[in-house]
Amino acid sequence: GTTLAYQDCDVPAAPSLSFLRGICDMDRMWDDSGASQEPISPPLEILGVPIPIVDWPHQKWLDWKHLIIEYRQLGLEGFWFKYSRQGKRLSLTVIVGELRAERKAENERLAAEARDEFADRFNHVFAYRKGKEQMVCQNAASIARSFRRMQDGHE
């Protein structure tokens, strides 16, 4: 990768983006690792260096990340097969909502599996400190993230 030395004053505000032309354009601007076509230079530059969307500090970044992951896993045809209804493609906003719902359901499933698997030890294994107090994690996404790491052998 490239290292870029800059000051805060060198960074313009991230431009507002619309992907009306579709997921293919988003994929081509996301980074240069998986674009199925020639990458498009992203509209944010710092000192003349184009900054891929993956590196932007942007509030929609997580939603876009999951869109790109899904698109790259399914490919163009598979993506639109999954995200079309009655022959009409869903909007990216609707797709983001479906992806969020899928992640939420998967996190809840994994949290329930962790509770079952750890049973009496759950309150110890999924605990964290808040000041001087020991708290038991209640957030399904946090439990699922920790449980995945354990399953992958990272904890």
Side-chain angles (χ1 to χ4, degrees), residues 103-130:
R103 284 194 313 278
K104 181 179 180 186
E106 177 64 5
N107 287 338
E108 289 170 356
R109 185 191 70 73
L110 283 172
E113 187 179 326
R115 284 186 178 91
D116 289 345
E117 185 172 316
F118 287 94
D120 296 343
R121 299 177 322 164
F122 182 86
N123 290 353
H124 175 72
V125 174
F126 292 90
Y128 63 96
R129 291 194 98 38
K130 185 174 184 179

Side-chain angles (χ1 to χ4, degrees), residues 31-60:
D31 62 18
D32 59 3
S33 70
S36 55
Q37 303 170 5
E38 265 309 296
I40 297 173
S41 191
L44 177 66
E45 290 187 359
I46 298 175
L47 301 173
V49 177
I51 307 299
I53 294 173
V54 70
D55 295 325
W56 289 18
H58 202 283
Q59 69 186 68
K60 293 182 181 182

Side-chain angles (χ1 to χ4, degrees), residues 4 10 16 42 114 125:
L4 180 64
D10 296 324
S16 178
V125 174

Side-chain angles (χ1 to χ4, degrees), residues 110 113-114 117-118 143-151:
L110 283 172
E113 187 179 326
E117 185 172 316
F118 287 94
I143 295 167
R145 186 172 34 257
S146 295
F147 190 54
R148 279 187 201 98
R149 275 191 241 128
M150 290 175 201
Q151 290 176 321

Side-chain angles (χ1 to χ4, degrees), residues 21-29 36-37 40 71 76 80:
R21 291 190 12 224
I23 188 80
C24 293
D25 283 352
M26 182 185 284
D27 181 43
R28 293 169 63 197
M29 283 189 253
S36 55
Q37 303 170 5
I40 297 173
Y71 174 75
L76 180 62
W80 288 121

